[in-house]
Amino acid sequence: MRKVWVGVLAAGAFLVGAGTAVGTVDWHGMPELNSSGVRFRGGEYRFNPAGQNHGAFEWKGKLKDADAEDGHNVYVLVRVEGHSWVRYNGKQGKTVHLHHSNWDGAQRYTNQADIRACRNRGSLHPDNCSVTKSYSNGS
């Protein structure tokens, strides 16, 4: 009986340790994304493994309307695996914290993602955006 309990405890300790290892994915810093009137600072990203948060490209940071007097809003664009861009709006004249996950529902995990910050200049002028940063999880 004692050997059974030792085995159960050892198996439990192993499963807890394995769950912790799978649950921790390191965050990576990204350079500041900026263009006229928009700043995305303190950005971080990670690629979640298959089975964790849809295997998503997870990102976070602070989006700032760097020219509150111009009357234009700001936003972040993100795309994964060559799909269309997804837009995340900021607030005019403010800094907002964004934290989102993007993934391709047809895949178990995401391999590649692009991100950029933009200022919406209305319907008569093209929006201006930062340089697009591309990231890969190396898998």
Side-chain angles (χ1 to χ4, degrees):
M1 188 67 171
R2 186 174 173 180
K3 288 181 182 180
V4 171
W5 281 111
V6 169
V8 168
L9 290 173
F14 174 79
L15 291 175
V16 168
T20 302
V22 169
T24 57
V25 179
D26 291 334
W27 287 94
H28 305 282
M30 64 175 69
E32 180 177 305
L33 304 174
N34 59 57
S35 186
S36 179
V38 61
R39 304 277 181 274
F40 184 71
R41 294 183 175 160
E44 293 182 294
Y45 73 95
R46 66 182 176 188
F47 286 94
N48 290 302
Q52 179 180 331
N53 192 18
H54 308 281
F57 171 70
E58 187 175 357
W59 58 275
K60 60 185 175 179
K62 292 183 176 148
L63 178 63
K64 178 180 183 177
D65 182 353
D67 188 357
E69 304 301 318
D70 69 358
H72 298 298
N73 200 0
V74 295
Y75 58 94
V76 171
L77 289 174
V78 178
R79 70 177 170 195
V80 295
E81 307 295 337
H83 289 279
S84 298
W85 290 100
V86 179
R87 181 176 169 150
Y88 298 94
N89 289 321
K91 293 197 178 185
Q92 193 170 332
K94 304 215 184 267
T95 299
V96 296
H97 178 73
L98 299 176
H99 184 175
H100 293 281
S101 297
N102 297 80
W103 68 90
D104 176 358
Q107 296 180 208
R108 292 196 60 213
Y109 56 89
T110 301
N111 284 320
Q112 192 275 330
D114 301 313
I115 186 168
R116 64 184 175 200
C118 302
R119 177 175 62 157
N120 182 347
R121 296 184 54 213
S123 58
L124 299 178
H125 301 284
D127 295 355
N128 59 283
C129 297
S130 69
V131 172
T132 300
K133 293 295 183 180
S134 297
Y135 298 101
S136 175
N137 71 357
S139 295

